[in-house]
Amino acid sequence: MNKTQTTGEQGTRNKTKGSGEIERFEMYIDGQWKQSASGRWFDTKNPFTGEVWAQLPHADETDVDLTVRAAHEAFTSGPWASMTASDRGLLLYRLGDVIAANAAYLAELEVKDNGKLMVEMLGQTRYLPRWCQYYGGLADKVEGSVTPIDKAGMLHYITHEPIGVVAAITPWNSPLLLTMWKVAPALAAGNTVVVKPSEFASASMLGLAKLFDEAGFPKGVFNVITGFGQDTGRALVEHPLVQRIAFTGSDIGGAKISESAARHFKRVTLELGGKSPHIVFPDADMEAAVKGVISGIFAAGGQTCMAGSRLLLHSSIHDEFLEKLVARMKQARLGDPNDPNTDVGPMATEPQLEKVLKYIEIAKSEGATCLMGGTRAQRPECGNGWFVEPTIFSNVTNDMRIAQEEVFGPILSVIKFDTEEEAIQIANDTPYGLAAGFWSQDLQRAISLPKRLKAGTVWVNAYRVVSYMAPFGGMKNSGLGRENGISAIHDYLEQKSVFIKGKSEISNPFTLQ
């Protein structure tokens, strides 16, 4: 095959020409575009066509060590290390402007990578600059304090200092958005970052790296390496110069990272899976609730950690609500994610397609009733893509696997309840605690019920709402720590106490002063 070098928007891509056009991306390490030390590449497929569209470097321990050491060097010396917090904030503002100007380009890469709808990806990439602006403005607002102390003649004050090299390990469902949740506060705090995106969605991250370069970040401050979790990711997590790990992914992956980090006393932020309850009470606005339930599970093909995958319906409205829900979802359009009229796109990866189809069979074997869907989509407009028909199961009990295990697809489990107490018991009876939502016109319920739901985020008469201002994270198996909001920047800072004594005499050196 004939290979030709291109110097297009990214400036680091090769196009391999033959039966189809395949782009080659390079990693961004220490301000330079690099292939892997081994020269190995891996393929990435377009979920809509099922065809290889790009190749990426397969980084190994050598590449990881080179990258982390470059990030450590940038943290300890050079322009970033001596930059004021205000100057870091201005760089983040500049990055936000550059991202805004290239939002369509980033969205195009994401759609090719993970098959999400262009309308959603463009909305996300246009929203990314808000994280840059928010944390850019916060960078020089983190203040220390002079504190009263119970020691005569002693001055005591507290400072907040950056930690060092942060490893950000991101998933394939919304890679750029979830990366910005980690990178913006980490950089605002003064750290340097190494990002390891999912092997299924790495191209858009390298597109983002191009924009860091354009914004003028010093070399080594932001780096992207590509590869697989079992080798590239593990080497990054275990590298001795990595001080903090921010991970979004499955609870299985989070457990492995947590175990490794604990052995080396590294700090972690883990945003993991969910099996979120979505409760509809009899007094709900039914039309709004139907749309909310659809948004909660069928938007993004159910491939979100916060998916409202368990619908808890009061028995008095159960049949009517399901009739409306099924009728609306039978009108849903599957197909090309670039088409603005498409409602549901493909599964992002082939393994995920197989997993979702497997869970459909599990649900049927457990006795759940399939009201619609339940198969791989065979519509002409889906072509060879990895589509699953939007699926609704009724007669689900909360002890079924379909109600307890995260599927991460367009599969809704419907569970009937009779009382508020029963709804709360069912909602909390799961290993996860990431999110929950409910619909009700009762003001007292809107105030009291969120306190009783074991979830890091609760939506009332809404679902799947996030903001750079609002902390997000889970309880139980859904993870540790919170991302977004003012407090997130403190996760990337060390607190230090300083004692200064006015006089130098020590009364007794053998006692605690």
Side-chain angles (χ1 to χ4, degrees):
M1 288 188 290
N2 177 43
K3 295 181 182 178
T4 59
Q5 179 76 29
T6 67
T7 55
E9 231 173 341
Q10 174 126 352
T12 60
R13 299 189 285 184
N14 296 319
K15 289 188 177 179
T16 303
K17 296 191 174 180
S19 59
E21 205 171 66
I22 298 176
E23 300 185 52
R24 273 193 169 182
F25 290 78
E26 294 178 320
M27 298 183 291
Y28 188 65
I29 302 172
D30 200 21
Q32 301 178 57
W33 299 101
K34 295 180 180 290
Q35 299 182 14
S36 65
S38 66
R40 292 187 299 162
W41 301 83
F42 64 93
D43 295 336
T44 186
K45 294 181 179 180
N46 183 323
F48 177 56
T49 65
E51 297 176 350
V52 175
W53 77 276
Q55 291 182 323
L56 298 132
H58 187 157
D60 58 18
E61 288 187 12
T62 300
D63 301 298
V64 170
D65 184 62
L66 174 69
T67 307
V68 174
R69 290 188 182 280
H72 180 70
E73 180 70 18
F75 176 74
T76 56
S77 61
W80 183 256
S82 58
M83 195 174 288
T84 66
S86 297
D87 287 339
R88 291 198 304 269
L90 289 173
L91 264 182
L92 281 167
Y93 266 99
R94 190 182 307 163
L95 175 64
D97 291 341
V98 175
I99 290 175
N102 290 273
Y105 163 63
L106 293 176
E108 175 191 341
L109 291 176
E110 290 246 297
V111 172
K112 284 183 181 180
D113 245 357
N114 65 10
K116 297 282 278 291
L117 300 186
M118 172 59 78
V119 64
E120 177 169 9
M121 289 298 95
L122 192 55
Q124 287 188 14
T125 56
R126 286 174 173 167
Y127 197 30
L128 294 180
R130 295 295 187 93
W131 272 263
C132 300
Q133 295 156 2
Y134 183 77
Y135 288 103
L138 191 59
D140 57 5
K141 311 301 186 299
V142 178
E143 299 177 345
S145 59
V146 176
T147 57
I149 196 75
D150 63 337
K151 310 295 179 184
M154 186 79 71
L155 170 68
H156 176 259
Y157 63 89
I158 300 169
T159 62
H160 303 276
E161 300 178 359
I163 297 171
V165 180
V166 173
I169 303 177
T170 60
W172 42 257
N173 57 330
S174 291
L176 292 180
L177 181 67
L178 297 175
T179 294
M180 197 58 70
W181 291 15
K182 301 162 179 53
V183 169
L187 294 179
N191 303 284
T192 56
V193 178
V194 178
V195 179
K196 207 297 284 184
S198 166
E199 61 271 24
F200 294 108
S202 298
S204 60
M205 203 66 64
L206 294 167
L208 180 64
K210 166 87 164 58
L211 305 186
F212 270 87
D213 196 49
E214 186 177 329
F217 276 77
K219 67 177 187 177
V221 173
F222 180 82
N223 309 269
V224 180
I225 57 171
T226 54
F228 294 77
Q230 61 266 31
D231 49 11
T232 314
R234 182 174 60 190
L236 179 60
V237 167
E238 295 179 351
H239 197 287
L241 293 178
V242 169
Q243 299 301 309
R244 186 176 186 89
I245 302 153
F247 171 79
T248 299
S250 70
D251 54 333
I252 296 173
K256 291 179 180 178
I257 287 174
S258 185
E259 290 170 7
S260 174
R263 289 195 296 270
H264 303 285
F265 303 101
K266 297 181 181 182
R267 298 150 186 81
V268 296
T269 300
L270 305 173
E271 196 267 277
L272 309 177
K275 198 67 187 176
S276 301
H278 204 161
I279 311 168
V280 182
F281 290 97
D283 64 335
D285 180 330
M286 190 170 292
E287 295 299 326
V290 167
K291 292 179 181 178
V293 168
I294 290 171
S295 174
I297 184 61
F298 296 116
Q303 297 169 108
T304 64
C305 52
M306 65 184 81
S309 54
R310 290 184 300 148
L311 173 59
L312 279 56
L313 281 179
H314 191 274
S315 57
S316 66
I317 60 169
H318 179 274
D319 294 349
E320 181 185 1
F321 191 94
L322 283 185
E323 183 179 346
K324 291 179 179 293
L325 179 62
V326 170
R328 176 63 183 86
M329 281 311 300
K330 283 186 175 178
Q331 300 173 15
R333 292 158 295 196
L334 280 65
D336 186 350
N338 286 293
D339 185 341
N341 294 314
T342 298
D343 296 313
V344 182
M347 296 295 94
T349 77
E350 206 163 5
Q352 187 61 25
L353 169 69
E354 297 303 323
K355 175 185 174 182
V356 172
L357 293 175
K358 177 183 176 183
Y359 269 102
I360 288 173
E361 295 308 311
I362 290 171
K364 292 176 180 178
S365 70
E366 289 181 324
T369 301
C370 187
L371 297 181
M372 65 172 290
T375 63
R376 180 171 181 172
Q378 302 295 333
R379 309 182 192 191
E381 58 268 32
C382 294
N384 295 319
W386 304 323
F387 288 84
V388 174
E389 288 287 351
T391 301
I392 299 175
F393 284 106
S394 65
N395 295 321
V396 175
T397 58
N398 204 50
D399 57 348
M400 291 181 178
R401 288 182 64 187
I402 197 71
Q404 289 292 311
E405 300 175 14
E406 186 176 45
V407 178
F408 223 67
I411 313 298
L412 180 63
S413 299
V414 183
I415 304 171
K416 190 183 295 187
F417 71 91
D418 291 312
T419 67
E420 182 175 300
E421 287 299 319
E422 184 183 6
I424 294 169
Q425 188 277 324
I426 294 171
N428 292 335
D429 183 19
T430 170
Y432 297 102
L434 187 61
F438 67 90
W439 296 78
S440 174
Q441 307 276 5
D442 187 324
L443 179 60
Q444 179 59 39
R445 179 181 286 140
I447 294 171
S448 63
L449 193 56
K451 300 176 184 178
R452 304 181 66 190
L453 291 170
K454 301 301 181 184
T457 296
V458 178
W459 296 286
V460 183
N461 296 327
Y463 205 90
R464 203 168 171 249
V465 180
V466 297
S467 170
Y468 51 92
M469 297 179 176
F472 187 84
M475 302 177 181
K476 300 187 283 186
N477 287 17
S478 290
L480 301 170
R482 296 292 183 268
E483 297 183 303
N484 301 329
I486 291 176
S487 62
I489 196 170
H490 289 280
D491 288 341
Y492 296 95
L493 291 164
E494 293 276 23
Q495 199 174 63
K496 179 181 286 184
S497 283
V498 179
F499 293 84
I500 300 177
K501 189 173 184 180
K503 295 182 179 180
S504 58
E505 74 271 6
I506 297 176
S507 57
N508 185 346
F510 298 103
T511 63
L512 183 67
Q513 301 300 299

